[in-house]
Amino acid sequence: MKAIAYQQFGTTEVLQMLEQPKPAITSDQVLVKIKAFSINPMDWKIRKGEMKLMSGSRFPKNTGADFAGIIEKTGSSATGHSVGDKVFGVVKNLMKEGASAEYVAVPASLIWKKPEALSFAQAASLPVVGTAAVTAVEKMGKVNPESRILINGATGGFGMILLQLLKQRGAHITAVTSTKGAEYAKKWEAAEVIDYTKGHMLSQKNTYDIVVDLSGKMGYTTAKKMMKPKSIFINPTPQPVEIPLALLANLFTSKKHIVLLSNSESRYTEVLLDAVSKGLDIVINTVFPFTQFREAYQYAEQGGYVGKVVMEISDNA
Ligand SMILES: NC(=O)c1ccc[n+]([C@@H]2O[C@H](COP(=O)([O-])OP(=O)(O)OC[C@H]3O[C@@H](n4cnc5c(N)ncnc54)[C@H](OP(=O)(O)O)[C@@H]3O)[C@@H](O)[C@H]2O)c1
């Protein structure tokens, strides 16, 4: 089968189309013929060697974590799924495996039936950012219309889901976006929209119960100034040193620094599927064909778009 992989850490230049054996499945796994997989910032952080401690340095490495496709084979104990089912899912070890191939073998517990209302591209976009968004909502505790929440980077993959999940819970959201994102943030009913490209300063002191930084550029020190005395900062892009430091610092402050590390538990996907049934909007900015993998990653890494970038594999890839 064809797979997008790399043999060394580096820029998009290291990506190659390789011929690999079709994966064999164990009894608890299913073999999925991939129709689409989504691109996440984690893909290029791993590829650039920024997460070596977790990804290891063994090559070749495939890329891409979440996918949608059609079941081609099921293991003897992989119950609940049948050959021909349209599904979406995520690889088991996000740091060491990749879905950037014509087939992937995954545990049956990490795939779910694709809702009819979603395209393969939309379903492939859901697991990584969706479970992260549900985890973030869980970390927030009780959210109500009085909760003042700032989402910095509100219309990327993660932000688009988080903003809508929080609106379904009635929260008051301030969305920070680029100009392109502003109309979407309004459509998803953010109470206030701030365009960061226009140099609008986030200077409101003592305003927010919760600040979520999805840009990776704000940091706790900046966020703290805008936070109420009893509040939380959610950080899904921590530097390794921040993980223990945040835990320690939280013992001495009521402005908590919460490092977010999500995982793909089924209960999170159930929340997402419920949100989909209530009209969750999953915006796909661009779909690239499998053969244009380098262009796709270059485009995604550059940023400046709303929603997700996805790669599709046609039958004659
Ligand atoms: N810890 C976890 O478990 C976990 C899980 C999933 C994701 N993440 C991380 O969470 C982050 C967000 O993920 P994502 O998939 O949403 O990435 P994304 O689609 O690239 O979104 C990032 C957003 O930040 C915005 N942004 C860039 N510069 C900004 C600035 N100076 N001020 C405000 N906003 C700015 C971007 O807007 P423009 O592009 O329009 O400029 C974009 O909307 C990534 O770093 C990802 O690795 C962590």
Side-chain angles (χ1 to χ4, degrees):
M1 67 169 186
K2 292 192 181 74
I4 298 164
Y6 50 100
Q7 311 267 17
Q8 63 186 86
F9 292 122
T11 65
T12 51
E13 292 306 312
V14 301
L15 291 169
Q16 297 172 301
M17 184 77 83
L18 297 182
E19 199 57 44
Q20 292 181 347
K22 202 166 163 178
I25 55 168
T26 54
S27 60
D28 64 335
Q29 287 185 322
V30 297
L31 183 71
V32 179
K33 184 171 168 39
I34 294 188
K35 303 288 279 181
F37 62 93
S38 92
I39 295 182
N40 288 289
M42 176 181 63
D43 301 349
W44 61 81
K45 292 179 190 173
I46 295 173
R47 194 189 68 235
K48 289 178 180 170
E50 293 169 15
M51 303 180 99
K52 268 183 212 158
L53 273 182
M54 289 178 282
S55 72
S57 302
R58 221 182 243 192
F59 299 102
K61 282 189 189 304
N62 291 8
T63 188
D66 40 13
F67 60 85
I70 298 174
I71 295 185
E72 187 157 298
K73 209 187 264 185
T74 59
S76 54
S77 61
T79 50
H81 299 289
S82 310
V83 171
D85 283 355
K86 293 177 181 164
V87 294
F88 69 104
V90 61
V91 296
K92 186 170 183 195
N93 187 334
L94 274 57
M95 292 292 147
K96 300 198 174 179
E97 296 173 78
S100 58
E102 288 177 290
Y103 295 89
V104 69
V106 283
S109 58
L110 290 179
I111 57 165
W112 298 272
K113 280 216 163 58
K114 181 180 80 63
E116 277 298 322
L118 299 187
S119 64
F120 282 107
Q122 287 174 310
S125 296
L126 207 47
V128 170
V129 292
T131 51
V134 178
T135 311
V137 173
E138 199 171 73
K139 296 271 182 208
M140 291 175 189
K142 206 166 158 32
V143 164
N144 57 44
E146 277 71 55
S147 311
R148 298 287 305 264
I149 303 176
L150 178 87
I151 307 178
N152 194 42
T155 56
F158 189 157
M160 136 180 104
I161 310 281
L162 181 62
L163 171 43
Q164 294 179 73
L165 287 180
L166 288 169
K167 277 315 299 180
Q168 286 183 354
R169 285 156 182 76
H172 180 288
I173 315 278
T174 301
V176 183
T177 73
S178 62
T179 311
K180 281 182 196 160
E183 64 172 297
Y184 285 89
K186 284 179 198 148
K187 177 180 163 204
W188 297 325
E189 297 175 36
E192 292 163 285
V193 180
I194 297 173
D195 183 340
Y196 79 85
T197 65
K198 296 205 170 128
H200 295 154
M201 296 298 289
L202 286 166
S203 54
Q204 310 92 317
K205 292 199 171 71
N206 192 16
T207 304
Y208 299 105
D209 298 285
I210 299 165
V211 174
V212 189
D213 179 30
L214 303 176
S215 75
K217 293 174 183 162
M218 176 183 269
Y220 175 69
T221 309
T222 303
K224 207 163 68 167
K225 296 177 192 145
M226 297 178 276
M227 287 158 60
K228 290 184 183 168
K230 202 163 177 282
S231 52
I232 60 173
F233 173 63
I234 296 187
N235 178 5
T237 59
Q239 295 300 318
V241 66
E242 282 184 296
I243 300 171
L245 282 183
L247 278 175
L248 188 65
N250 285 344
L251 298 173
F252 305 101
T253 177
S254 55
K255 293 185 180 184
K256 305 291 183 195
H257 181 173
I258 309 289
V259 166
L260 184 125
L261 299 171
S262 57
N263 62 44
S264 313
E265 287 177 36
S266 262
R267 66 191 174 100
Y268 296 138
T269 310
E270 297 309 324
V271 175
L272 291 171
L273 289 170
D274 179 58
V276 167
S277 73
K278 291 177 180 149
L280 184 77
D281 193 11
I282 303 170
V283 175
I284 306 298
N285 173 268
T286 312
V287 176
F288 284 87
F290 197 38
T291 46
Q292 285 181 21
F293 54 92
R294 225 168 264 136
E295 291 88 332
Y297 274 95
Q298 276 159 1
Y299 178 82
E301 286 176 45
Q302 217 173 321
Y305 54 85
V306 173
K308 295 284 294 182
V309 176
V310 174
M311 306 214 61
E312 262 179 6
I313 308 183
S314 63
D315 283 339
N316 52 2

